[in-house]
Each structure stands twice: as structure tokens, then as C-alpha cells.
Amino acid sequence: MSRNLELFERGKQVIPGGVNSPVRAFGQVGGTPRFVKRAVGAYFWDADDKQYLDYVGSWGPAILGHAHPEVVKAVQDAAVGGLSFGAPTEGEVEIAEEICKLLPSIEQLRLVSSGTEATMSAIRLARGFTGRDLIVKFEGCYHGHSDSLLVKAGSGLLTFGNPSSGGVPADCTKHTLVLQYNDVAQLAETFKEVGDQIACVILEPIAGNMNLIKPSEEFVKALRQLTEQYGAVLIYDEVMTGFRVALNCAQGLHGITPDLTTLGKVVGGGMPLAAFGGRADIMAKIAPLGNVYQAGTLSGNPLAVAAGLTTLKLIQEPGFHDTLGARSARLAAGLAEAARDAGVAMSTDSVGGMFGFYFSEQVPTSYAEATRCDIARFKAFFHAMLDEGVYLAPSAYEAGFISIAHTDALIDDTIAAARRALARV
Ligand code: HOZ
């Protein structure tokens, strides 16, 4: 029996579904999840010692590749000095200063341990600041698993969302409006109706949880203009895009200054670290200064801060994001060409260190379009690529991630593998 399968079976006895986060269970694609034994650079090795070229990268954090020596050393050095204090450290001030320097929209920030905490806290803060209850999110955008965000669209415009998970009372989602990504008219109509009750709009500024989907320029401009006009807080959820799509993040690419930003993944360099921050007048509402409560024993953990600071330093090397972006674009173009040659309907897209491939003629622009892609073909392609030693996200609704360790030669190998795989799907 394969060791992966053995571990999966053992895991299922003691962990629901055998995994600690649902998508890892290979539910959409079927088969046995790969249990990671070790990872270096662009590769990981599974429990059967098979090597894979990794295009998940821990779902975003591994922008430098796995186990970058300088990051590992920083964590080791920090560990010797103590693992957790529940008291402030110099490193926390340093990383906050660094983030504020890189993102001008952030005047102050709070460190937390996960993206879910960051978005949940940012929403509480926006409500506390505005004194309003309604929040707006977009279908297909994922902002972590807090109650008010586990919501699917209601039956029509201005109907409130329904819980998308068991265990979430309808009361928790009755203040959440779910609108369509990239639908400017719907957004404008919503603000016209209830704009003065909206506390915040939270947005994946480049969506990565319904595959990779970019917003139109018109959409992000309308969002900024309407939130400003109606006094609602604009939250850019850059947990996934932060420091990955560009050094100044998606907001830099869009030329938009959000009121609040949430960060995670790259900011922790592979350790559990996330942040939310923005306008100083809004952040002043957070306890101990204000009455919006937020806390965490492991917030600003010294090991996580050491990994994050080192990562932020290394990604500022000249040309880092240009190289990363060129490699994602090379991969996207190569996959599209391979599909064309194979006569398979596939479109692709990329931005910075993120890419998407879609089994559809056109790149989707909304959740509805993303769900119309050919999922059966995706599954077959996913497994054919696994056989080739290429590990893609085990779901058609996740973006792909590359690291700086994914050289042009490795990208070309991936495209060659995709040509062989596409001939079989
Ligand atoms: N939230 C991730 C998908 N967008 C999955 C996290 C994980 O399984 O590690």
C-alpha cells in the first residue's frame, strides 16, 4: 500500500476527513492526498518519496520557495531566544514599520495569526468605526471562515445572504449582502438603496478562491468612489495577493488606496502570521485605544515575525517581482499554447506570482463564469499532471502560485509535462 494512502487511512480515524483543511482531502479531484515529507525550493517530496514540482506553495506563502536558508536561519535564531512571550517584542515594531513603509495606505496595523483572524477583525473594526451593521462581499470571494462571511448569495439583489455552512445561524449572515464580482451596476444600485447602512465592502482585489479572476478597472474605481461617497470602509483583503502580485500589492497595481487592508501568507513567510491595518483614525478604534476588542496570545509570535521580516527583506531585491511576473506569464502562455495545439478549450491568466488556467474558451470574470468551466477535464488534467510529477491545486477553484525558485527551465518542463497530459485528457 502507498504510504500516502496508509497515512490518509490512519488520519481519517483521528482527524475529520483525514486533513486539517478541507481542500487538502482531494474531494473535488478524488484519489489520495499527497502527504508532504519535506520540501525545498520549488519541490516537495511525498510520503512515498516521490518528487513534485509544487504550484501550490502552501497556498501562497512560499514565494521564495520552500525552506529558504535565510528564512530558516532567522526562525532558528529566534527560537533559541524563546518561542512565545505574550508580551511585545522589538521584531513586532520592526515588521509593522516595514509593512507601513511598503504600503502607504497602512498607517497602523495589528498582527494576528491567520488570514481569518485578520478579516474577521477588520470587519468588526469597520462596524465599530461606522456604527453600521451591513457588510458587502462578492460571490466567489473567500475571506476566511468566520460566521458572517460563510455566506452565499440570496435569491436576488438586496436579499441578504444565506449561511453556506452548517452551524452558522441565519442571524449571523443577515447583515451580509452578497453581490456579483465585476458587476458595477449592481454595486451602484445597492449603494443607492442602502449605502448609508453599509459598514464596509470587503474585496479580494484579485480573486484567488474562484480560480484567478481579475477585477475590471471600472469595478475597483466604482468601489472606491461609492464607499467614499457613502462613508463605508473599503477593505482590500490582500491575504493572498499581498506582496505576491507586486511589492505594493494589488492596491498598488490598481492605484487604489483602501481604508483597511488584510494581509497573511507571504507576510509570515510560511509561519502563522497575518495582519490588518489602514487609516490611523480607524485603527484608533481598536482596544486598548478604542472600544473594538481584538486580542491573541500568539499574535506577533517571535518565530513568525522573524520569518516574515526576512521574507519581506528578500522580496525587495531589485527585479524580484518582475522576474516572478515574467515566469507566471511564461507558464500561462505556454499552457495556453499547449492546449491550443492539443485542441483543448483552455484559457489562462496570470499576475505577479499567481496564475490561473480554466477549461473554458474565455477567462472567467465572475463566480458564475468560473463554475461553467469543464470540471471533469480539470480532474483528468490534475491527475495526469500528478503522474508527471507536477502538483497543482486539487481544485478547479483555486489560483496557482509560483515561487522565485521556479526557474524558466522548470516552467518549460512544466509546459512540456502539460503537453503530454493534455494529450490524455
Ligand atoms: N484556504 C486555502 C484555499 N484557498 C486552503 C488552505 C489549506 O488547505 O491549507
Side-chain angles (χ1 to χ4, degrees), residues 328-369:
S328 299
R330 185 184 186 97
L331 178 64
L335 289 176
E337 193 185 313
R340 244 188 336 269
D341 291 349
V344 172
M346 182 204 269
S347 51
T348 63
D349 205 356
S350 72
V351 54
M354 286 170 81
F355 67 93
F357 61 94
Y358 327 84
F359 284 97
S360 63
E361 296 286 354
Q362 303 281 332
V363 172
T365 62
S366 67
Y367 178 72
E369 286 176 24

Side-chain angles (χ1 to χ4, degrees), residues 20-24 58-59 142 208-209 240 265 397-399 401:
N20 284 308
S21 190
V23 72
R24 300 180 194 178
S58 185
W59 302 98
Y142 175 73
N209 285 285
M240 203 176 261
K265 299 188 189 277
Y397 302 123
E398 302 283 354
F401 300 96

Side-chain angles (χ1 to χ4, degrees), residues 236-260:
Y236 257 44
D237 178 2
E238 300 232 37
V239 167
M240 203 176 261
T241 52
F243 306 118
R244 173 163 276 284
V245 294
L247 188 57
N248 55 5
C249 309
Q251 55 196 265
L253 294 179
H254 294 169
I256 294 284
T257 305
D259 302 306
L260 291 178

Side-chain angles (χ1 to χ4, degrees), residues 39-43 54 57-58 60-69 71-72 244 269-270 311 314-315 320 324 402-406:
V40 180
Y43 292 104
D54 182 15
S58 185
I63 196 165
L64 297 167
H66 293 289
H68 189 285
V71 178
V72 172
R244 173 163 276 284
T311 301
L314 291 168
I315 64 170
F320 182 94
L324 198 66
I402 71 158
S403 78
I404 204 70
H406 289 72

Side-chain angles (χ1 to χ4, degrees), residues 41-240:
Y43 292 104
F44 77 80
W45 286 262
D46 74 3
D48 290 316
D49 290 316
K50 181 171 159 114
Q51 174 179 305
Y52 294 89
L53 189 49
D54 182 15
Y55 283 99
V56 175
S58 185
W59 302 98
I63 196 165
L64 297 167
H66 293 289
H68 189 285
E70 281 186 53
V71 178
V72 172
K73 168 105 180 33
V75 174
Q76 284 170 335
D77 289 350
V80 172
L83 299 182
S84 175
F85 315 118
T89 62
E90 185 172 342
E92 291 166 66
V93 178
E94 261 180 62
I95 197 167
E97 286 171 346
E98 193 64 20
I99 295 168
C100 291
K101 183 192 90 189
L102 292 171
L103 280 183
S105 73
I106 302 188
E107 294 174 321
Q108 294 213 328
L109 64 89
R110 226 337 120 76
L111 297 176
V112 291
S113 300
S114 73
T116 289
E117 273 185 78
T119 51
M120 179 183 80
S121 307
I123 283 173
R124 184 179 304 146
L125 175 58
R127 283 174 160 154
F129 178 74
T130 57
R132 302 172 182 175
D133 288 339
L134 285 189
I135 63 174
V136 171
K137 79 174 284 288
F138 297 94
E139 191 172 31
C141 287
Y142 175 73
H143 305 285
H145 60 91
S146 62
D147 284 352
S148 67
L149 293 167
L150 287 179
V151 53
K152 57 181 180 237
S155 52
L157 177 61
L158 297 189
T159 57
F160 297 102
N162 303 312
S164 62
S165 159
V168 176
D171 271 4
C172 287
T173 57
K174 75 177 184 194
H175 298 298
T176 309
L177 282 165
V178 185
L179 306 183
Q180 302 307 307
Y181 205 74
N182 274 326
D183 189 338
V184 176
Q186 189 191 41
L187 183 70
E189 197 180 334
T190 302
F191 267 94
K192 205 166 127 206
E193 292 292 322
V194 291
D196 58 354
Q197 299 166 49
I198 295 174
C200 64
V201 178
I202 187 164
L203 171 82
E204 268 192 88
I206 295 166
N209 285 285
M210 50 176 163
N211 211 325
L212 175 74
I213 293 189
K214 291 176 182 166
S216 68
E217 196 180 330
E218 195 197 357
F219 182 61
V220 290
K221 282 204 171 126
L223 267 167
R224 180 63 285 186
Q225 188 267 314
L226 287 163
T227 45
E228 220 158 74
Q229 183 184 338
Y230 286 88
V233 173
L234 176 61
I235 305 173
Y236 257 44
D237 178 2
E238 300 232 37
V239 167
M240 203 176 261

